[in-house]
């Protein structure tokens, strides 16, 4: 799921059959394994791409303002809220996707797990998205205006 979204060109619009064709092409190129193709929920991907968020992603990709798979390491002295932690942390990860709009940056994290409610999902990943926001503000010098979890056809803002 994540790998397919990483490889997919968000600057294009797709039909379900075009998504299947893209996945097959990625397999032929050795970028996806055949068993990975079977775990992709193409209707969910299409739902994302056709959603208001997906249209924002497309516009950002077409404008060159979309970034995918941004690795980072955040050291304790850079964490704004380190005093809340009982021990020193080094936080590392990969931001799925972020894009810039005229009034700030939007960070999006894809999730495939389920939660009982939107609130539970937001609570589960609030700290992770907060770190992503801090990292992006430091990397870009720009304000992160939105942090969005996209999970199974649903957007959750944290």
């Amino acid at each position: 799921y994540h790998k397919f979204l990483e490889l997919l060109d968000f600057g294009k619009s797709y039909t379900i059959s075009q998504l299947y064709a893209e996945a097959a092409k990625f397999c032929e190129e050795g970028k996806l394994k055949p068993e990975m193709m079977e775990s992709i929920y193409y209707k969910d991907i299409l739902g994302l791409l056709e959603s208001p968020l997906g249209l924002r992603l497309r516009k950002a990709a077409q404008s060159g303002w979309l970034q995918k798979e941004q690795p980072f390491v955040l050291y304790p002295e850079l964490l704004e809220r380190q005093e809340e932690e009982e021990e020193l942390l080094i936080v590392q990860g990969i931001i799925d996707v972020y894009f810039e709009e005229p009034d700030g940056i939007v960070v999006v994290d894809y999730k495939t797990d389920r939660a009982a409610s939107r609130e539970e999902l937001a609570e589960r990943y609030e700290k992770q998205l907060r770190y992503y926001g801090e990292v992006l503000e430091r990397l870009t010098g720009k304000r992160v205006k939105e942090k969005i979890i996209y999970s199974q056809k649903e957007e959750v803002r944290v």
Side-chain angles (χ1 to χ4, degrees):
Y1 189 89
H2 279 80
K3 185 65 174 176
F4 183 65
L5 287 171
E6 175 188 341
L7 296 169
L8 197 63
D9 180 354
F10 280 26
K12 298 178 181 178
S13 57
Y14 296 92
T15 64
I16 203 87
S17 60
Q18 289 170 326
L19 288 174
Y20 285 120
E22 284 293 292
K25 180 183 85 168
F26 296 147
C27 278
E28 288 173 17
E29 295 170 347
K31 296 176 182 175
L32 276 182
K33 295 178 182 175
E35 59 271 15
M36 294 170 97
M37 271 186 72
E38 297 170 12
S39 67
I40 298 169
Y41 299 103
Y42 296 95
K43 287 182 182 180
D44 287 355
I45 302 279
L46 189 61
L48 166 62
L49 297 175
E50 292 178 345
S51 72
L53 174 60
L55 298 177
R56 292 168 73 190
L57 290 164
R58 183 177 314 137
K59 182 177 178 182
Q62 291 170 345
S63 302
W65 293 339
L66 183 96
Q67 299 294 321
K68 294 181 183 179
E69 300 300 309
Q70 174 68 54
F72 71 89
V73 176
L74 190 59
Y75 294 95
E77 62 272 13
L78 299 178
L79 287 171
E80 291 180 12
R81 294 163 188 87
Q82 183 64 50
E83 67 279 355
E84 295 175 8
E85 304 298 333
E86 292 182 13
E87 57 188 61
L88 292 178
L89 296 176
I90 295 176
V91 180
Q92 64 181 7
I94 298 176
I95 298 170
D96 290 337
V97 66
Y98 70 93
F99 58 95
E100 188 175 343
E101 293 182 325
D103 59 340
I105 292 176
V106 179
V107 61
V108 180
D109 195 51
Y110 314 123
K111 298 296 181 193
T112 54
D113 57 334
R114 298 188 186 272
S117 68
R118 297 167 59 92
E119 293 76 21
E120 179 185 328
L121 197 62
E123 185 178 316
R124 189 181 299 165
Y125 295 108
E126 186 277 330
K127 185 182 281 188
Q128 178 184 355
L129 272 286
R130 178 170 33 102
Y131 288 152
Y132 288 1
E134 288 181 30
V135 165
L136 287 172
E137 286 180 352
R138 291 181 188 281
L139 284 174
T140 66
K142 298 178 181 175
R143 179 178 78 87
V144 171
K145 68 174 192 166
E146 277 181 89
K147 297 172 223 145
I148 301 171
I149 297 168
Y150 191 84
S151 174
Q152 307 291 328
K153 305 179 196 171
E154 185 170 49
E155 287 177 41
V156 179
R157 283 168 176 69
V158 293

